[in-house]
Amino acid sequence: MTAREEILAAVRGALRDADRTEAAVPRGYRSATAPDVVELFAERVVDYRAGLTRCTTAELPGAIRAALGAARKVLVPEGFPVEIDGTAAAEAGTTAELAAFDAVVTTAALGIATTGTLVLDHGPGQGRRALSLVPDIHVCVLREDRIVPGVPQAVAALDPARPQTWISGPSATSDIELTRVEGVHGPRTLHVIVVAGPPSGRV
Amino acid sequence: MPAFPVAAREALADTQLRRNLAHATGTIRAKRAAVVGEVAEWEELRLAGAAIKDNTLRRLDEHLLTLEAALQARGATVHWARDAREACAVVAGIARDHGVDEVVKVKSMATQEIGLNEVLAEHGVTAWETDLAELIVQLGDDLPSHILVPAIHRNRAEIREIFRREMGAAGRPAPDGLTDDPAELAGAARLHLREKFLRAKMAVSGANFAVAESGTLVVVESEGNGRMCLTLPEVLVSVVGIEKVVPTWSDLDVFLQLLPRSSTGERMNPYTSAWSGVTPGDGPQEMHVVLLDNGRTRALADEVGRQALRCIRCSACLNVCPVYERTGGHAYGSVYPGPIGAILNPLLKGVGVDEQTDSLPYASSLCGACFEACPVRIDIPEVLVHLRSQVVDAHRGGAPKPEAVAMKAASWVLSDARRLGLAERGLGVANRALTRFGRRVLPGGRRALSRLPWPGSLWTDARDLPAPPRESFRSWWRKEKR
């Protein structure tokens, strides 16, 4: 017997006398909402020691420039809706080339208010997964109407066929005496820009 | 490994270890309590988590076949492994086929369980652990002692020494003048590991969840080392225990709420990666999934013990356990320590096979704190008692143990009123004799004997023995009736 056949046979043997009817799963948690999702999201992002700017669509280019600070080489993935001065690259070829960038600017698929989480599904404006990982600064632009109250609403809105990266604050470790230290392998600085404005506007 | 009582005695004598542990478990307990308190529907989430896992386990064969088909449809190669040897051989074979002599690893309980690093080393392949705590353990040639924070037993001064002494031999050395500031230590690890991430051709991971319907694997982490391993190399091999399956993508809404709050005491962990097979132009273009049994079907066959397979490896039970807090993880002699390890090891390996495994169901005070903390409501005390009975059954025959002789004698006395009366008359004498041995008062005013001579010392070394009453009930009754 192959390993596959043997494992499946062992599973069936183990469950020979088991009742296979499905028990009901309580799902009341899915209706829980937050009163003001944008306020809560902003508060939780700051709680994670990420930078936060709130602005209008018109103020966005200035807000991005301010968030980038002294960063020189900035990566802006294809499909990012705002022109950023002095940056050209939409893609880096090799991993080593990618490591030469100081910062990356992306959009996100959605934000989760109760946890202060950004979710990237790596569509246009977000780049492939490595782009928001290797440079040391990540500036992420999220429109207010992309913020959902909680994890259940986020899971429901996302498509598992796309790769996803959920980001809550900068890279961090608590492995040394459970003291939280920001910045191990991912970006050491995360700056979130929340954009207010008409849902029809880009970004 | 020695049996738990022997290993625990050694750990208890290590005051540095006990200080490190008490600080760490105390800190994490407080953080967890605070973020769990924020969630009004926490109890319902626990019930939902337990129900989803139970439903999945009851039809595990069907879900595994769905998972296999979904993974294959999305360009992944699926392997099945009956045991550790078979799983390691699959990973080593993939490394050989690609001619690599090193792999980077995401922290994974499954690959630790199968001893993958050691087997890869035999094949000339070095496996680099990239989680900070795992790096500390690997460089220190040490063993992990906690599911979530494997180096919980080490303090910052010890970590600095390990980095200074060992980093150079494994790659980029620690910076000169490295202090024991946690931020500096993390910075040293960042530099040391970055060169490995950027050059690695192959990575090995586990998975926190495997979604059957969509063929999605999910890895939950904090440092970004997981993301590095999961996206930069060309080849990715994920070793996944067969109990990691959840049926649908939407089921994750329960577990992505339960896991971070229970494990690190955060509302959400910094990074969660989810990927379904191969995405052209993004991440590894060759993906393998090894579905691992290694005793899981044995645990599944145990009707009481089956619930242990709900475990999502959050380690909340470790952090609330009074036994773990005093002995640390090494005493359990397994990659799964603490209350969950005390049931998972005997369930995976079977009882009556070795003394060390058989000692684990007794490594508990049955206080129930682990059940209260468990986000998927595994009734660990119930399984512990169930496994104790299996251990006793497995040791029937041969020379009876002293407890068995004592219990048989007690049963003979207790089964007859006249014998009991005679025995009780002897109590007064025994009581006067026993008061000589380390009498103390327990909270609540009960008297206890804390030190009996051998063979009683076998019992009182680790426990207090409540003192017998001064007078038996029968004699009190006779007196009062008059």
Side-chain angles (χ1 to χ4, degrees):
Chain A
M1 265 211 293
T2 64
R4 180 180 184 272
E5 287 164 14
E6 205 167 303
I7 293 169
L8 288 169
V11 169
R12 289 178 187 129
L15 297 172
R16 203 178 300 118
D17 302 320
D19 175 5
R20 289 202 162 209
T21 50
E22 302 252 313
V25 179
R27 299 285 192 186
Y29 64 87
R30 283 184 175 162
S31 57
T33 52
D36 185 341
V37 293
V38 180
E39 281 302 321
L40 184 61
F41 177 75
E43 184 189 303
R44 295 282 151 95
V45 163
V46 172
D47 227 33
Y48 264 119
R49 299 191 218 173
L52 178 84
T53 308
R54 296 181 65 173
C55 68
T56 63
T57 309
E59 294 163 343
L60 181 57
I64 294 173
R65 220 167 296 121
L68 284 170
R72 295 260 172 279
K73 269 194 97 182
V74 181
L75 189 65
V76 183
E78 216 164 293
F80 188 78
V82 179
E83 190 86 9
I84 297 169
D85 298 340
T87 55
E91 181 54 285
T94 64
T95 306
E97 279 170 48
L98 190 55
F101 282 90
D102 301 321
V104 61
V105 187
T106 71
T107 60
L110 54 86
I112 305 171
T114 48
T115 59
T117 305
L118 297 160
V119 183
L120 275 62
D121 67 2
H122 305 286
Q126 300 172 41
R128 66 188 166 100
R129 284 173 282 173
L131 297 196
S132 49
L133 171 66
V134 179
D136 202 17
I137 300 171
H138 180 194
V139 176
C140 187
V141 177
L142 184 71
R143 219 175 54 195
E144 277 186 359
D145 65 353
R146 301 300 302 161
I147 299 171
V148 300
V151 172
Q153 292 83 359
V155 169
L158 290 161
D159 175 6
R162 303 194 63 86
Q164 288 165 28
T165 309
W166 296 38
I167 299 172
S168 311
S171 152
T173 183
S174 300
D175 281 345
I176 302 165
E177 297 183 12
L178 291 172
T179 307
R180 189 176 172 93
V181 175
E182 270 90 36
V184 196
H185 306 299
R188 283 183 279 199
T189 303
L190 173 71
H191 195 101
V192 182
I193 301 179
V194 178
V195 189
S200 57
R202 291 187 67 198
V203 179
Chain B
M1 282 299 292
F4 183 84
V6 178
R9 197 175 297 280
E10 231 168 85
L12 285 169
D14 184 342
T15 51
Q16 176 71 61
L17 174 77
R18 290 181 66 173
R19 240 194 317 274
N20 294 356
L21 280 168
H23 168 69
T25 54
T27 306
I28 206 162
R29 272 203 303 271
K31 281 177 71 184
R32 178 188 165 275
V35 296
V36 164
E38 282 179 5
V39 183
E41 59 273 18
W42 186 256
E43 276 315 304
E44 193 185 61
L45 281 170
R46 290 178 76 206
L47 288 165
I52 293 169
K53 282 279 185 179
D54 279 353
N55 284 344
T56 314
L57 291 169
R58 275 197 283 263
R59 313 180 80 119
L60 188 59
D61 49 339
E62 297 165 33
H63 293 301
L64 286 171
L65 290 172
T66 308
L67 174 68
E68 180 188 46
L71 282 165
Q72 286 168 343
R74 301 197 53 94
T77 306
V78 177
H79 310 259
W80 298 71
R82 278 169 280 219
D83 53 26
R85 193 185 52 78
E86 222 164 50
C88 290
V90 170
V91 184
I94 297 167
R96 189 190 54 231
D97 292 347
H98 291 82
V100 299
D101 59 5
E102 64 171 5
V103 300
V104 284
K105 279 191 68 206
V106 192
K107 174 175 152 30
S108 134
M109 299 309 297
T111 57
Q112 270 175 29
E113 175 191 324
I114 61 175
L116 179 65
N117 294 8
E118 292 74 15
V119 176
L120 287 177
E122 286 167 20
H123 287 81
V125 178
T126 310
W128 302 114
E129 293 291 350
T130 64
D131 171 77
L132 178 52
E134 289 290 353
L135 176 74
I136 295 165
V137 168
Q138 188 175 42
L139 289 176
D141 196 20
D142 196 357
L143 291 167
S145 64
H146 190 280
I147 289 174
L148 178 77
V149 227
I152 199 169
H153 57 291
R154 297 286 197 186
N155 63 17
R156 59 184 76 190
E158 295 173 289
I159 294 166
R160 170 176 174 261
E161 274 321 296
I162 292 168
F163 279 11
R164 282 183 2 147
R165 208 174 52 232
E166 306 292 342
M167 264 187 177
R172 184 173 177 146
D176 288 334
L178 180 69
T179 72
D180 64 3
D181 172 40
E184 264 196 52
L185 294 169
R190 180 184 177 96
L191 291 172
H192 177 80
L193 286 172
R194 185 151 283 223
E195 60 173 19
K196 297 196 166 101
F197 289 133
L198 296 187
R199 73 171 184 233
K201 297 269 175 290
M202 174 171 157
V204 178
S205 84
N208 291 91
F209 306 101
V211 181
E213 175 194 65
S214 56
T216 310
L217 299 189
V218 180
V219 164
V220 169
E221 50 127 5
S222 292
E223 297 172 7
N225 65 305
R227 291 180 66 194
M228 290 277 180
C229 294
L230 299 172
T231 56
L232 297 184
E234 294 158 19
V235 182
L236 172 62
V237 184
S238 304
V239 180
V240 183
I242 54 172
E243 84 286 13
K244 294 282 171 181
V245 186
V246 295
T248 68
W249 169 254
S250 66
D251 290 321
L252 288 178
D253 69 2
V254 174
F255 300 107
L256 290 179
Q257 293 183 82
L258 288 173
L259 179 55
R261 289 183 201 258
S262 301
S263 61
T264 53
E266 294 176 292
R267 297 186 183 110
M268 186 59 80
N269 48 290
Y271 296 131
T272 298
S273 297
W275 72 100
S276 306
V278 175
T279 307
D282 185 351
Q285 296 298 295
E286 183 177 332
M287 186 182 148
H288 297 264
V289 178
V290 184
L291 296 175
L292 175 71
D293 180 347
N294 206 32
R296 284 158 179 76
T297 51
R298 179 203 296 277
L300 189 68
D302 186 315
E303 283 178 33
V304 180
R306 183 179 299 157
Q307 57 184 312
L309 296 177
R310 289 182 203 152
C311 176
I312 56 174
R313 314 282 190 260
C314 72
S315 71
C317 62
L318 276 61
N319 302 323
V320 297
C321 176
V323 176
Y324 177 88
E325 184 178 329
R326 285 159 181 82
T327 63
H330 291 161
Y332 296 80
S334 154
V335 299
Y336 303 112
I340 188 65
I343 61 171
L344 206 49
N345 288 298
L347 286 165
L348 294 176
K349 295 176 191 166
V351 298
V353 180
D354 67 82
E355 197 196 349
Q356 195 269 333
T357 308
D358 285 355
S359 72
L360 292 178
Y362 295 89
S364 167
S365 62
L366 299 180
C367 73
C370 47
F371 177 41
E372 288 297 308
C374 178
V376 286
R377 293 177 56 91
I378 301 169
D379 191 342
I380 295 177
E382 180 194 19
V383 183
L384 283 166
V385 172
H386 168 73
L387 288 169
R388 286 182 188 186
S389 79
Q390 286 188 2
V391 171
V392 170
D393 286 344
H395 290 275
R396 275 192 211 290
K401 289 195 169 187
E403 303 100 278
V405 174
M407 288 299 166
K408 205 160 248 174
S411 135
W412 181 77
V413 173
L414 291 169
S415 61
D416 181 289
R418 196 181 54 85
R419 286 181 215 143
L420 182 60
L422 282 169
E424 279 176 352
R425 225 166 293 162
L427 259 184
V429 181
N431 204 6
R432 277 192 295 281
L434 285 169
T435 47
R436 288 173 45 224
F437 300 108
R439 233 176 73 189
R440 62 192 213 93
V441 179
L442 294 174
R446 261 178 95 194
R447 293 176 314 133
L449 305 159
S450 55
R451 241 179 10 259
L452 287 179
W454 195 89
S457 63
L458 293 174
W459 181 265
T460 56
D461 263 5
R463 310 165 184 83
D464 290 319
L465 181 69
R470 287 173 216 276
E471 188 182 16
S472 79
F473 175 76
R474 282 156 194 260
S475 95
W476 174 85
W477 182 254
R478 268 196 307 275
K479 213 165 62 197
E480 291 299 307
K481 249 193 343 192
R482 277 187 211 126

